[in-house]
Amino acid sequence: MQKAIIGKKIGMTQIFDEKGNVIPVTVVEAGPCVVAQKKTAENDGYEAIQVGFGDRKLNRLNKPLKGHFAKADVAPKRTLKEFRLSDTNAYNVGDLIKADVFEKGDKVDVSGTSKGKGYAGAIKRWNFQRLKETHGTGPVARHRGSLGACSSPSRVFKGLKAAGHLGAEKVTVQNLTVVKVDIENNLIAIKGAIPGPNGGVVVIHDSVKA
């Protein structure tokens, strides 16, 4: 990882390129982020920087976080993420990371928390096929079916595809293209869709496939 930033998903729109083609994009308010801590191989066993995004009231923090931000002389932030960059020597505590860290044409990976959809059945969650609704099937057309095994092992194995909680988990969409960077307003337009609802926190970093 060479560069990364924390942002807030604003929503989707469309822009036009030089040839008049429509490009669907997701707009992200990327930064400004502040370096709240710098970890070194001597003290921590690895090199990384801790980055904060989004202002937060001081009275909303517990004592450990108050001390953490006070030591760094940094305003309290709502979101803290740690990035193991290839070169952390270019950053010091208190430095700002803005949208201009990326430029048009960059390939990026975007991580976020997907929309929570509550408890879902096997068809919605795993794309199972439904049963016929004729000839004695009964009211089980959308049921998963039998889970039982024989007398050995006499139990249901863990990890089977079944009904359960859907969404609200970390999702990463890879190899997206940065279409436009608005430095003045700290906005990055990324081609395609990214995880999470509007207003959700996302992390943008250079693509591992690039």
mmCIF file of all heavy atoms in Angstrom, residues 25-47:
data_model
loop_
_atom_site.group_PDB
_atom_site.id
_atom_site.type_symbol
_atom_site.label_atom_id
_atom_site.label_comp_id
_atom_site.label_asym_id
_atom_site.label_seq_id
_atom_site.Cartn_x
_atom_site.Cartn_y
_atom_site.Cartn_z
ATOM 1 N N VAL A 25 -20.612 7.463 -11.606
ATOM 2 C CA VAL A 25 -19.571 7.617 -10.593
ATOM 3 C C VAL A 25 -20.192 7.697 -9.202
ATOM 4 O O VAL A 25 -21.360 8.068 -9.042
ATOM 5 C CB VAL A 25 -18.715 8.876 -10.842
ATOM 6 C CG1 VAL A 25 -17.975 8.785 -12.160
ATOM 7 C CG2 VAL A 25 -19.566 10.139 -10.788
ATOM 8 N N THR A 26 -19.398 7.334 -8.216
ATOM 9 C CA THR A 26 -19.740 7.546 -6.814
ATOM 10 C C THR A 26 -18.845 8.650 -6.275
ATOM 11 O O THR A 26 -17.625 8.589 -6.423
ATOM 12 C CB THR A 26 -19.537 6.266 -5.989
ATOM 13 O OG1 THR A 26 -20.328 5.212 -6.547
ATOM 14 C CG2 THR A 26 -19.953 6.496 -4.549
ATOM 15 N N VAL A 27 -19.459 9.644 -5.665
ATOM 16 C CA VAL A 27 -18.716 10.786 -5.125
ATOM 17 C C VAL A 27 -18.395 10.519 -3.660
ATOM 18 O O VAL A 27 -19.279 10.148 -2.876
ATOM 19 C CB VAL A 27 -19.509 12.083 -5.281
ATOM 20 C CG1 VAL A 27 -18.711 13.260 -4.718
ATOM 21 C CG2 VAL A 27 -19.850 12.325 -6.741
ATOM 22 N N VAL A 28 -17.128 10.698 -3.295
ATOM 23 C CA VAL A 28 -16.670 10.464 -1.933
ATOM 24 C C VAL A 28 -16.029 11.748 -1.402
ATOM 25 O O VAL A 28 -15.189 12.348 -2.078
ATOM 26 C CB VAL A 28 -15.652 9.312 -1.864
ATOM 27 C CG1 VAL A 28 -15.137 9.133 -0.438
ATOM 28 C CG2 VAL A 28 -16.280 8.026 -2.385
ATOM 29 N N GLU A 29 -16.449 12.160 -0.217
ATOM 30 C CA GLU A 29 -15.776 13.262 0.472
ATOM 31 C C GLU A 29 -14.536 12.691 1.151
ATOM 32 O O GLU A 29 -14.619 12.092 2.226
ATOM 33 C CB GLU A 29 -16.707 13.904 1.497
ATOM 34 C CG GLU A 29 -16.078 15.067 2.245
ATOM 35 C CD GLU A 29 -16.962 15.605 3.345
ATOM 36 O OE1 GLU A 29 -18.181 15.331 3.311
ATOM 37 O OE2 GLU A 29 -16.445 16.286 4.233
ATOM 38 N N ALA A 30 -13.399 12.843 0.508
ATOM 39 C CA ALA A 30 -12.159 12.199 0.954
ATOM 40 C C ALA A 30 -11.332 13.179 1.771
ATOM 41 O O ALA A 30 -10.722 14.098 1.235
ATOM 42 C CB ALA A 30 -11.360 11.718 -0.251
ATOM 43 N N GLY A 31 -11.312 12.976 3.068
ATOM 44 C CA GLY A 31 -10.532 13.831 3.936
ATOM 45 C C GLY A 31 -11.200 15.176 4.159
ATOM 46 O O GLY A 31 -12.382 15.358 3.850
ATOM 47 N N PRO A 32 -10.442 16.153 4.696
ATOM 48 C CA PRO A 32 -9.040 15.999 5.077
ATOM 49 C C PRO A 32 -8.866 15.107 6.304
ATOM 50 O O PRO A 32 -9.634 15.197 7.251
ATOM 51 C CB PRO A 32 -8.599 17.439 5.356
ATOM 52 C CG PRO A 32 -9.857 18.153 5.710
ATOM 53 C CD PRO A 32 -10.951 17.508 4.932
ATOM 54 N N CYS A 33 -7.847 14.271 6.249
ATOM 55 C CA CYS A 33 -7.514 13.377 7.347
ATOM 56 C C CYS A 33 -6.233 13.861 8.014
ATOM 57 O O CYS A 33 -5.393 14.489 7.374
ATOM 58 C CB CYS A 33 -7.333 11.945 6.848
ATOM 59 S SG CYS A 33 -8.793 11.240 6.070
ATOM 60 N N VAL A 34 -6.090 13.552 9.275
ATOM 61 C CA VAL A 34 -4.914 13.977 10.016
ATOM 62 C C VAL A 34 -4.202 12.753 10.573
ATOM 63 O O VAL A 34 -4.835 11.779 10.976
ATOM 64 C CB VAL A 34 -5.295 14.945 11.161
ATOM 65 C CG1 VAL A 34 -6.211 14.263 12.166
ATOM 66 C CG2 VAL A 34 -4.067 15.508 11.847
ATOM 67 N N VAL A 35 -2.880 12.794 10.566
ATOM 68 C CA VAL A 35 -2.075 11.708 11.130
ATOM 69 C C VAL A 35 -2.073 11.856 12.644
ATOM 70 O O VAL A 35 -1.532 12.830 13.177
ATOM 71 C CB VAL A 35 -0.641 11.727 10.576
ATOM 72 C CG1 VAL A 35 0.177 10.598 11.202
ATOM 73 C CG2 VAL A 35 -0.660 11.592 9.057
ATOM 74 N N ALA A 36 -2.685 10.904 13.353
ATOM 75 C CA ALA A 36 -2.807 10.973 14.810
ATOM 76 C C ALA A 36 -1.714 10.212 15.536
ATOM 77 O O ALA A 36 -1.452 10.469 16.714
ATOM 78 C CB ALA A 36 -4.176 10.436 15.238
ATOM 79 N N GLN A 37 -1.083 9.262 14.838
ATOM 80 C CA GLN A 37 -0.025 8.469 15.472
ATOM 81 C C GLN A 37 0.858 7.864 14.398
ATOM 82 O O GLN A 37 0.375 7.554 13.301
ATOM 83 C CB GLN A 37 -0.609 7.358 16.354
ATOM 84 C CG GLN A 37 0.421 6.564 17.138
ATOM 85 C CD GLN A 37 -0.212 5.445 17.966
ATOM 86 O OE1 GLN A 37 -1.411 5.201 17.868
ATOM 87 N NE2 GLN A 37 0.579 4.781 18.774
ATOM 88 N N LYS A 38 2.113 7.722 14.711
ATOM 89 C CA LYS A 38 3.056 7.095 13.786
ATOM 90 C C LYS A 38 3.741 5.941 14.512
ATOM 91 O O LYS A 38 4.354 6.139 15.560
ATOM 92 C CB LYS A 38 4.087 8.115 13.299
ATOM 93 C CG LYS A 38 5.007 7.602 12.218
ATOM 94 C CD LYS A 38 5.908 8.709 11.684
ATOM 95 C CE LYS A 38 6.833 8.189 10.603
ATOM 96 N NZ LYS A 38 7.719 9.265 10.067
ATOM 97 N N LYS A 39 3.620 4.750 13.955
ATOM 98 C CA LYS A 39 4.208 3.565 14.571
ATOM 99 C C LYS A 39 5.493 3.189 13.843
ATOM 100 O O LYS A 39 5.557 3.248 12.615
ATOM 101 C CB LYS A 39 3.212 2.400 14.548
ATOM 102 C CG LYS A 39 1.960 2.686 15.364
ATOM 103 C CD LYS A 39 1.118 1.457 15.582
ATOM 104 C CE LYS A 39 -0.050 1.769 16.510
ATOM 105 N NZ LYS A 39 -0.863 0.570 16.800
ATOM 106 N N THR A 40 6.484 2.804 14.605
ATOM 107 C CA THR A 40 7.801 2.487 14.055
ATOM 108 C C THR A 40 8.171 1.052 14.387
ATOM 109 O O THR A 40 7.637 0.449 15.327
ATOM 110 C CB THR A 40 8.867 3.441 14.612
ATOM 111 O OG1 THR A 40 8.939 3.293 16.038
ATOM 112 C CG2 THR A 40 8.522 4.887 14.269
ATOM 113 N N ALA A 41 9.126 0.534 13.624
ATOM 114 C CA ALA A 41 9.583 -0.837 13.849
ATOM 115 C C ALA A 41 10.279 -0.968 15.202
ATOM 116 O O ALA A 41 10.215 -2.023 15.841
ATOM 117 C CB ALA A 41 10.520 -1.263 12.719
ATOM 118 N N GLU A 42 10.927 0.090 15.650
ATOM 119 C CA GLU A 42 11.647 0.027 16.924
ATOM 120 C C GLU A 42 10.698 -0.068 18.111
ATOM 121 O O GLU A 42 10.922 -0.843 19.049
ATOM 122 C CB GLU A 42 12.545 1.264 17.085
ATOM 123 C CG GLU A 42 13.694 1.349 16.097
ATOM 124 C CD GLU A 42 13.242 1.829 14.724
ATOM 125 O OE1 GLU A 42 12.075 2.300 14.613
ATOM 126 O OE2 GLU A 42 14.024 1.708 13.772
ATOM 127 N N ASN A 43 9.598 0.686 18.064
ATOM 128 C CA ASN A 43 8.683 0.730 19.206
ATOM 129 C C ASN A 43 7.539 -0.271 19.100
ATOM 130 O O ASN A 43 7.091 -0.812 20.113
ATOM 131 C CB ASN A 43 8.096 2.143 19.351
ATOM 132 C CG ASN A 43 9.148 3.161 19.697
ATOM 133 O OD1 ASN A 43 10.162 2.849 20.308
ATOM 134 N ND2 ASN A 43 8.921 4.409 19.291
ATOM 135 N N ASP A 44 7.061 -0.509 17.874
ATOM 136 C CA ASP A 44 5.852 -1.307 17.703
ATOM 137 C C ASP A 44 6.060 -2.592 16.911
ATOM 138 O O ASP A 44 5.141 -3.392 16.801
ATOM 139 C CB ASP A 44 4.783 -0.464 17.008
ATOM 140 C CG ASP A 44 4.511 0.837 17.743
ATOM 141 O OD1 ASP A 44 3.852 0.797 18.792
ATOM 142 O OD2 ASP A 44 4.981 1.890 17.279
ATOM 143 N N GLY A 45 7.230 -2.757 16.308
ATOM 144 C CA GLY A 45 7.498 -3.961 15.542
ATOM 145 C C GLY A 45 7.107 -3.866 14.083
ATOM 146 O O GLY A 45 7.361 -4.782 13.307
ATOM 147 N N TYR A 46 6.478 -2.769 13.691
ATOM 148 C CA TYR A 46 6.109 -2.563 12.289
ATOM 149 C C TYR A 46 5.924 -1.069 12.073
ATOM 150 O O TYR A 46 5.823 -0.282 13.028
ATOM 151 C CB TYR A 46 4.826 -3.323 11.933
ATOM 152 C CG TYR A 46 3.604 -2.868 12.675
ATOM 153 C CD1 TYR A 46 2.701 -1.962 12.097
ATOM 154 C CD2 TYR A 46 3.317 -3.332 13.958
ATOM 155 C CE1 TYR A 46 1.570 -1.542 12.769
ATOM 156 C CE2 TYR A 46 2.195 -2.925 14.636
ATOM 157 C CZ TYR A 46 1.324 -2.026 14.044
ATOM 158 O OH TYR A 46 0.203 -1.612 14.717
ATOM 159 N N GLU A 47 5.870 -0.684 10.810
ATOM 160 C CA GLU A 47 5.725 0.728 10.466
ATOM 161 C C GLU A 47 4.324 0.985 9.919
ATOM 162 O O GLU A 47 3.854 0.273 9.035
ATOM 163 C CB GLU A 47 6.787 1.143 9.439
ATOM 164 C CG GLU A 47 8.210 1.082 9.983
ATOM 165 C CD GLU A 47 9.219 1.625 8.997
ATOM 166 O OE1 GLU A 47 8.824 1.911 7.845
ATOM 167 O OE2 GLU A 47 10.396 1.751 9.364
#
